[in-house]
């Protein structure tokens, strides 16, 4: 699986936007970019995914670079509940050997200050 | 119902015990997963079941024995574990087929301590 690189940690203030970067310079043309987060003492939860175009959902936005070698997860107004470890994961095309797999990297620990 | 439930929440066992972890989902998902997460580390995939058949075993030691008795249930049988097996064990489910857009839904995990 292609590798992702994220900062170890980031900090934000409540109600401010947060931009969480992810580098994936070896991404292949069929790799989807997924983001999951893990709140303290909980299992991971899906946040968003995209392939080429920017994506928005109720939780966040995903901005994908034109060359797809990097992406940014955007939380528009951070809340204390957004404090979590955020994982950027590449998922390969259907039928490949990465069938169904989520390969988690180290992730970014997001701290949100009141 | 978009919930994956896991029991027990916590488990303490000796190295000679036999115990089982249980996972249940009622979302109609036909793929189910076991992950292991050590403290301050990311989850690592252990097993994948697709349509109740084991499709991926990530070279997990035989002291961990998965079982998928039906499409809603996933068990992990534990026997002769070592202290280094202490970890959070996470279950997840998703639509089957391995398509890369399929979201995985995770349970809260079972915190296992091996004495």
């Amino acid at each position: 699986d292609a590798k992702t690189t994220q900062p170890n940690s980031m900090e934000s203030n409540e109600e401010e936007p947060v931009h969480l970067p992810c580098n994936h310079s070896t991404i292949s043309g069929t790799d989807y970019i997924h983001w999951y987060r893990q709140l303290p003492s909980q299992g991971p939860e899906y946040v968003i995914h995209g392939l080429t175009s920017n994506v928005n959902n109720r939780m966040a936005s995903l901005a994908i670079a034109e060359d797809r070698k990097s992406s940014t997860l955007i939380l528009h107004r951070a809340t204390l509940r957004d404090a979590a470890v955020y994982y950027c994961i590449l998922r390969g095309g259907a039928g490949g050997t990465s069938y169904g797999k989520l390969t988690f990297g180290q992730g970014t620990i997001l701290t949100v200050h009141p | 119902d978009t919930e994956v439930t896991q029991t027990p929440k916590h488990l303490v066992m000796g190295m000679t015990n036999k115990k089982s972890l249980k996972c249940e989902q009622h979302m109609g998902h036909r793929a189910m997963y076991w992950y292991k997460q050590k403290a301050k580390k990311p989850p690592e995939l252990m097993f994948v079941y697709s349509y109740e058949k084991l499709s991926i075993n990530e070279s997990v030691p035989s002291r961990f024995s998965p079982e998928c008795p039906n499409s809603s249930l996933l068990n992990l049988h534990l026997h002769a574990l070592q202290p280094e097996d202490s970890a959070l064990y996470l279950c997840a489910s998703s639509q089957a087929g391995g398509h890369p857009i399929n979201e995985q839904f995770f349970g809260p995990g079972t915190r296992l301590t091996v004495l």
Side-chain angles (χ1 to χ4, degrees), chain A residues 30 32 34 36 38 41-46 49 87 91-95 97-107, chain B residues 33 35 37 40-43 45 48 50 55-56 58 88 90 96-109:
Chain A
T30 56
Y32 284 76
H34 282 248
Y36 281 71
Q38 188 170 19
S41 302
Q42 295 190 26
E45 65 175 345
Y46 166 83
H49 76 268
Y87 296 102
R91 298 192 68 187
T97 57
S98 64
Y99 178 101
K101 285 186 175 186
L102 278 181
T103 303
F104 290 83
Q106 292 303 310
Chain B
Y33 312 80
Y35 290 83
Q37 186 173 26
K40 300 194 185 303
K41 296 291 186 183
L45 182 67
V48 180
S50 179
S55 62
I56 295 178
E58 293 287 87
L88 181 68
L90 293 159
H99 197 285
I101 70 169
N102 288 346
E103 172 187 347
Q104 289 190 16
F105 292 79
F106 284 80

Side-chain angles (χ1 to χ4, degrees), chain B residues 1-2 6-7 9 15 28 32 38 46 73 79 81 85 87 93 98 107:
Chain B
D1 181 6
T2 58
Q6 291 188 243
T7 53
K9 284 190 167 53
M15 289 190 284
M32 297 186 77
K38 301 281 280 184
M46 300 174 72
L73 282 175
H79 174 53
L81 294 193
D85 296 321
S93 71

